[in-house]
Amino acid sequence: MAIGDGVLTPAISVLSAVSGIKLKLTGLHDNYVVMISCVILVALFSLQHHGTHRVAFIFAPIVTAWLLCISGIGIYNIVHWNPHIFRALSPLYMLKFLRTTGVEGWVSLGGVALSMTGVEAMFANLGHFSSLSIKIAFTFLVYPSLILAYMGEAAFLSKHHDDIQRSFYKAIPEAVFWPVFIVATFAAVVGSQAAISATFSIINQCSALNCFPRVKVIHTSSKIYGQIYIPEVNWMLMCLCLAVTIGLRDTNMIGHAYGLAVTTVMFVTTCLMALIMIMVWKKSMINSIAFLLFFGSIELLYVSASFHKVPEGGWIPIVLSFIFMAVMYIWNYGTMKKHQFDVENKVSMNRLVSMGPGLGMVRVPGIGLVYTNLTSGVPAVFGHFVTNLPAFHQVLVFICVKCVQVPYVCEDERLLISRMGPKEYGMFRCIVRYGYKDLQQENYDFENKLVSGIVQFVEIEEEGSFNMSDSEAFYAPEQTFMISNQEENRVQPLSDSQETKPVDGRLENSLCKHESIQILKAKESGVTYILGHSYAKSKKSSSIFKKIAIDLVYTFLSKNSRGPDVALNVPPTSLLEVGMVYYV
């Protein structure tokens, strides 16, 4: 439903704003209104790659001008048409309305919900503004302006019952119509931007939780984590918005779909908040249930009223929700099954060593970097590799990449290195930590820093001067050492065309050690990136539903998602992919 909200918000906002032209240009055909709306939508989505922070400086003036316009027009209509409309603030009139109209009043709540649907978009901006600023702005500016605008529109309708379809624009005084129309169009674009940004955030979080295929995430700001841009999702949203705008053409039908999407999101959010109160905040069960019953009953009333409009456009968010839910569930199910296969079939060091004589395993010059998601043990794909090709590099490093929610990770905190097995194996594990703004493995800088870090690790291990922190033990259970800033000048990164020169006496002594020399010689022989290219297939005994989910849907999503070599920026000339079938 949240994705449906991101699709419907730009469509209804822009189409509603542009439809005001028909009041002044009576001969204007609906096709031209739709065409203008589509042009604005295409321009809006085309500007997303610049980032919200680059255009955010115009958001506040536009929204402020819009709120001042509607509040001023509301005051004018209240004074001019019906000064007694302030009595409508009493909740008694709502009860009288529902008691008098009965079922018709209940059905009308679906339309009433549209008056508050923009409120939840404010909280989507938490990635751009602080919670305190949103509370202050809503309390002292947004809420009073909305109340005055709605009361002014109600005052106008109390004297003009026939203008209910275009009451907003008809309530605007003739002298200020075009300035207000321009501000309304810009405000619709700003409101659409909030929904689009929220959709990017939702997809990014789902991808981080392995609930959505890997997509390209571009962080447009180095200061605020929430400002991101996802090209694939952006163009997909644009196509869906254009399809809804061209297909429905009617703001009432889009409004029915929009109201159902927003009210359902509110109700689901309330249910999840009740769970958070119990499981995360450790609140009492009574308080959580009281919260759910009070707010949930009100929202459920609006949801039930909106479901009455399912045949008139409300089916759109339902269909979109089922499609995205199916994609998310199947991707999460397939990913978890593959990870479970990796954990259950990982190779122990003793087994790997015992296979060596039987397979005639040999060590070839160079450094092999094996990428894996496991933080302990040898991945099954590497066992598959050495079984079919019993040879691997003289120095072997198992790389596990971890992304953290900070813009940048300092170079002295980037690598967490540990040894796997005895020294004669020449096998290491390295946890590489990247921030969301860090460029991963640009050129060959990563290779040089990794080799320098391993040499430093060997020095520290030989001297016995190491300390292990709790966080390091979590990432690598087998004696982990973090390369600290104190050892920064002991080994400098090596380039392919640069000979190794001692930086000081301590480094000269370390180069005399056999293992350090072997590592540096292996670097000169070349570095190879070994990535597993796994294919998930269902077992023969699986049900027909599992076969469809894994063999068709999950396979299709895997082929069309970003590959790990692209996500990790692995040099294509140094890449070695190992294919393996996972029967899940």
Side-chain angles (χ1 to χ4, degrees), residues 34-50:
V34 174
M35 186 183 302
I36 296 173
S37 301
C38 291
V39 171
I40 295 176
L41 288 172
V42 171
L44 172 63
F45 284 100
S46 300
L47 295 174
Q48 293 300 314
H49 69 280
H50 292 291

Side-chain angles (χ1 to χ4, degrees), residues 10-28:
I12 190 174
S13 300
V14 174
L15 188 59
S16 299
V18 176
S19 62
I21 301 179
K22 293 180 62 177
L23 296 178
K24 293 299 179 182
L25 305 177
T26 55
L28 187 65

Side-chain angles (χ1 to χ4, degrees), residues 390-512:
F392 56 90
H393 297 81
Q394 181 182 5
V395 177
L396 202 63
V397 185
F398 291 89
I399 306 290
C400 183
V401 178
K402 295 291 183 181
C403 294
V404 293
Q405 291 188 358
V406 294
Y408 300 99
V409 174
C410 299
E411 291 299 329
D412 57 351
E413 298 178 356
R414 173 96 55 209
L415 305 179
L416 296 173
I417 300 175
S418 62
R419 184 185 293 277
M420 298 180 62
K423 291 184 179 181
E424 57 268 21
Y425 293 174
M427 301 173 65
F428 302 89
R429 182 184 304 281
C430 180
I431 309 295
V432 187
R433 298 184 293 186
Y434 284 105
Y436 61 84
K437 286 289 291 182
D438 284 322
L439 296 177
Q440 297 187 13
Q441 303 175 9
E442 236 2 71
N443 299 324
Y444 295 97
D445 189 52
F446 172 76
E447 300 174 4
N448 297 328
K449 291 179 180 178
L450 177 63
V451 173
S452 300
I454 295 176
V455 172
Q456 291 179 26
F457 169 82
V458 172
E459 293 179 40
I460 299 173
E461 188 182 38
E462 288 290 338
E463 297 170 2
S465 56
F466 56 82
N467 293 306
M468 184 168 62
S469 65
D470 293 337
S471 61
E472 294 160 2
F474 169 80
Y475 278 111
E478 319 98 332
Q479 287 188 342
T480 304
F481 303 87
M482 182 172 69
I483 305 305
S484 64
N485 195 31
Q486 297 175 355
E487 309 293 335
E488 186 176 37
N489 295 323
R490 295 175 61 177
V491 178
Q492 292 185 349
L494 304 174
S495 63
D496 292 339
S497 60
Q498 182 181 11
E499 295 183 356
T500 304
K501 297 181 179 180
V503 179
D504 53 22
R506 197 172 184 183
L507 175 59
E508 188 174 2
N509 294 332
S510 69
L511 293 177
C512 296

Side-chain angles (χ1 to χ4, degrees), residues 338-339 341-343 345-347 368-383 396-403 420 428-432 441 475 478 529-534 564 568 570 582:
K338 287 179 64 176
H339 182 72
F341 183 91
D342 270 332
V343 173
N345 294 274
K346 63 183 179 181
V347 183
L369 305 182
V370 183
Y371 282 83
T372 174
N373 292 325
L374 300 178
T375 57
S376 63
V378 179
V381 69
F382 184 74
L396 202 63
V397 185
F398 291 89
I399 306 290
C400 183
V401 178
K402 295 291 183 181
C403 294
M420 298 180 62
F428 302 89
R429 182 184 304 281
C430 180
I431 309 295
V432 187
Q441 303 175 9
Y475 278 111
E478 319 98 332
Y529 295 81
I530 304 174
L531 268 69
H533 199 91
S534 57
L568 297 170
V570 175
Y582 287 11

Side-chain angles (χ1 to χ4, degrees), residues 178-194:
W178 288 111
V180 172
F181 169 76
I182 294 174
V183 175
T185 304
F186 280 108
V189 172
V190 171
S192 302
Q193 176 64 52

